[in-house]
Amino acid sequence: KDQLLNCVSFSLHKKLFHEDFKQQLSAISTLTQCISNPQYLEPTVGCCDLLLRWVTLKFFDTNTTVNIKCLELLHVLFQTLTSVEYRMNDYEAGAFLPYLVIKVGDPKDPVRKEVR
């Protein structure tokens, strides 16, 4: 949690870990906009592992809307990383991919569709 403070503003950090899912959705929207903005390409790549870990934590959230928005954020993140030919290291992949695979079997149909 504290490591992410090096990548995002205090106010965004507060929203990312807020108990109110509406605050979390607002933070996810802000992150998605930043990730898709070429101006933030270097910080996005530099904080990729922390963003993936945060999304992994959100996978355990029971709120379907938060899960879907996180998956949409991942789509934008991976498009951005692909555009610079970024390759995940073993640490990033190992900390994230198993949990993404688990989401393929999520009982909620909208989440499963978004994973695919």
Side-chain angles (χ1 to χ4, degrees):
K1 183 176 177 179
D2 293 338
Q3 292 176 338
L4 199 54
L5 268 172
N6 296 325
C7 297
V8 298
S9 69
F10 180 77
S11 61
L12 181 57
H13 186 271
K14 190 174 177 180
K15 286 182 178 182
L16 286 170
F17 292 97
H18 202 281
E19 290 181 18
D20 181 8
F21 81 95
K22 291 178 183 176
Q23 293 292 321
Q24 293 175 20
L25 292 175
S26 171
I28 294 167
S29 292
T30 301
L31 267 180
T32 303
Q33 290 172 356
C34 290
I35 289 168
S36 63
N37 186 333
Q39 175 184 350
Y40 297 108
L41 181 60
E42 188 175 322
T44 297
V45 172
C47 293
C48 175
D49 64 324
L50 295 173
L51 294 172
L52 291 173
R53 280 194 268 168
W54 179 81
V55 169
T56 300
L57 290 174
K58 291 286 105 190
F59 281 167
F60 293 97
D61 197 314
T62 57
N63 188 304
T64 304
T65 306
V66 170
N67 272 263
I68 290 172
K69 290 296 181 186
C70 282
L71 290 166
E72 290 172 0
L73 179 137
L74 284 177
H75 184 73
V76 172
L77 177 62
F78 289 142
Q79 283 180 329
T80 300
L81 295 175
T82 300
S83 73
V84 295
E85 298 179 8
Y86 181 82
R87 295 191 63 161
M88 268 189 194
N89 63 40
D90 291 342
Y91 172 75
E92 291 167 333
F96 168 73
L97 289 176
Y99 300 99
L100 182 62
V101 171
I102 289 171
K103 281 294 175 189
V104 171
D106 195 277
K108 298 171 188 144
D109 192 44
V111 174
R112 280 195 316 272
K113 285 181 181 178
E114 192 63 38
V115 170
R116 292 184 186 130

